[in-house]
Amino acid sequence: MELLVLAIFVLFSVALVLLIHYYRRLFSDGRREYPREELLHIEKYLWKEWQNLVKEDTSASYLGIGIGAVLAFLFSYMGGLYGAHYESYFFHSAILPGLWFLGLPFLREQYFDDIQLSPFVKKLIYEDTPAFFGFTVMFMGKMLMVYGLYHALSFLWILFNYVVCLVLLLYRLSQGEKIEGKLSLRKPDKAEEEGNW
């Protein structure tokens, strides 16, 4: 029962993140009028948002999402080391997603070149948005599941941390969008223009 409720809340969190991200992108494109289809019939647009998340390299992206989700699942149960897992305020909060959000870019900048890893693992670490997405939505779903089934944690605590996770995730998605926009706006140098790659 617990896993079924968790799956429902994780899917709800994924849909909520993609929906908010879609509307943020839609309303920030500078137009004054929007077709009815773009506002109401959003099923295909949500699928496009998901495809933007996983990009061209779907195997690495799905693996990153899976690794992030499994890590979050394991971390959320670590609260059981000190009692019932659903009573842990620390492991059902935005602290661990916040540490990933702030810490991994710093660690990557400081130590990424010194570590001997396979190119595939380096790619997972360097392009960590899918893994961060899986990690954070699993935490979001786990928080809702813990409150919904056990009511052991304060509703305001869950709500506050859920919103913080949502903001961190939306910010990360929008930053990835800006980086891709800068890369696509970059002018090709002479070698690229002449075809000498």
Side-chain angles (χ1 to χ4, degrees), residues 63-77 131 134-135 138-139:
L63 183 64
I65 291 170
I67 289 171
V70 168
L71 280 175
F73 187 79
L74 294 176
F75 276 127
S76 68
Y77 274 99
F135 189 76
M138 179 58 78
F139 262 100

